[in-house]
């Protein structure tokens, strides 16, 4: 197992940021930003997609207790439809970083797209959630908080089975849209039905 790196720059306050739910057709896109203490160690922590639900839940508790600071932000469907999913993902990351105290002096971002935040230097890192601890931590918090939200709204519209698919465009989810139509939680700017999904989004 590859050991994740602590920092991109270790002599300043650095945060990692990541989002969850970008490819979903329902629910918010959720981002987190995390500053870990210099002493933080964890051998299980990595990209949230590579961990079990049990591991993610346990890690969330550890991170909430041990992180120097963390911020989490949901950007909801109306905004996603208005400014698009990429801009919404970056906005969620910006708002999460804004919640950090102290503010970071350097930002590391999962992926290859970001916009400057308050003139703080940043680095985009492809698959950063499986290379750096703080980005992995952000991926855990973003995913667990978003999953929790989707499980909550599942109670309102159980026919879409969001507690299982979390708003991703599974066959079952798309068939439910065909049968019941869309809800206030669906992203209207996305291709929602099978015949609309011939092109990847």
């Amino acid at each position: 197992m590859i050991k994740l790196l602590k920092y991109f720059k270790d002599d300043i306050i650095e945060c990692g940021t990541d989002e969850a739910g970008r490819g979903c057709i329902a629910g918010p896109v959720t981002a987190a930003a995390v500053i870990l203490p210099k002493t933080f160690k964890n051998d299980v922590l990595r990209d949230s997609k590579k961990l079990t639900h049990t591991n993610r839940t346990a890690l969330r508790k550890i991170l909430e207790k041990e992180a120097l600071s963390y911020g989490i932000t949901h950007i909801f469907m109306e905004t996603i439809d208005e400014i698009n999913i990429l801009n919404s993902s970056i906005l969620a990351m910006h708002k999460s970083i804004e919640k950090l105290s102290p503010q970071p002096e350097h930002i590391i971002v999962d992926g290859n797209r970001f916009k400057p935040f308050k003139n703080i230097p940043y680095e985009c890192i492809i698959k950063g959630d499986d290379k750096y601890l703080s980005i992995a931590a952000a991926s855990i918090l973003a995913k667990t908080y978003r999953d929790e939200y989707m499980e909550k709204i599942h109670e309102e519209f159980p026919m879409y089975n969001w507690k299982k698919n979390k708003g991703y465009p599974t066959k079952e989810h798309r068939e439910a849209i065909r049968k019941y139509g869309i809800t206030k939680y669906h992203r209207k700017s996305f291709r929602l039905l099978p015949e609309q999904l011939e092109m990847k989004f």
Side-chain angles (χ1 to χ4, degrees):
M1 189 184 284
I2 298 165
K3 197 172 171 67
L4 270 60
L5 300 165
K6 272 197 173 184
Y7 304 106
F8 190 87
K9 293 187 173 184
D10 63 1
D11 54 339
I12 54 176
I13 299 169
E14 182 174 83
C15 82
T17 186
D18 196 8
E19 52 71 30
R22 196 165 150 183
C24 295
I25 55 174
V29 63
T30 304
V34 183
I35 300 171
L36 292 172
K38 304 280 184 194
T39 53
F40 184 82
K41 282 182 185 172
N42 190 292
D43 293 333
V44 180
L45 181 58
R46 56 200 325 98
D47 169 10
S48 64
K49 295 182 287 297
K50 295 187 175 180
L51 295 170
T52 63
H53 177 267
T54 305
N55 277 340
R56 286 194 298 266
T57 304
L59 281 164
R60 171 171 152 177
K61 287 178 184 164
I62 291 166
L63 292 167
E64 288 176 338
K65 187 180 172 189
E66 295 187 25
L68 202 60
S69 184
Y70 66 91
I72 295 130
T73 306
H74 297 304
I75 297 294
F76 290 97
M77 300 62 63
E78 303 78 11
T79 305
I80 293 170
D81 289 338
E82 191 182 328
I83 67 172
N84 80 36
I85 188 60
L86 174 63
N87 286 327
S88 297
S89 299
I90 293 170
L91 178 62
M93 290 187 209
H94 280 195
K95 285 184 173 292
S96 297
I97 297 165
E98 209 161 20
K99 292 172 181 174
L100 298 175
S101 179
Q103 279 284 279
E105 298 165 290
H106 188 250
I107 301 164
I108 50 175
V109 185
D110 183 55
N112 61 355
R113 303 291 289 276
F114 195 64
K115 291 177 183 173
F117 176 79
K118 289 187 179 175
N119 296 320
I120 300 171
Y122 67 88
E123 194 74 34
C124 290
I125 299 159
I126 305 286
K127 296 189 177 167
D129 51 4
D130 216 26
K131 293 175 183 172
Y132 288 91
L133 284 171
S134 62
I135 301 180
S139 86
I140 297 285
L141 292 182
K143 175 151 182 58
T144 54
Y145 273 83
R146 187 182 185 279
D147 284 358
E148 197 172 76
Y149 180 86
M150 295 308 294
E151 286 157 18
K152 190 176 83 176
I153 63 172
H154 166 86
E155 303 302 323
E156 203 176 333
F157 294 101
M159 63 283 267
Y160 301 96
N161 204 9
W162 290 330
K163 72 176 177 188
K164 184 181 176 191
N165 63 52
K166 303 300 189 285
Y168 281 92
T170 60
K171 186 180 179 188
E172 176 192 38
H173 189 180
R174 298 195 306 254
E175 287 303 323
I177 292 171
R178 185 187 285 288
K179 188 172 178 181
Y180 302 106
I182 62 169
T183 68
K184 61 187 177 182
Y185 297 111
H186 282 98
R187 302 174 184 177
K188 298 175 183 63
S189 56
F190 278 47
R191 302 177 190 91
L192 299 174
L193 288 173
E195 58 269 24
Q196 297 175 296
L197 285 158
E198 286 164 3
M199 292 168 64
K200 277 190 176 179
F201 65 92

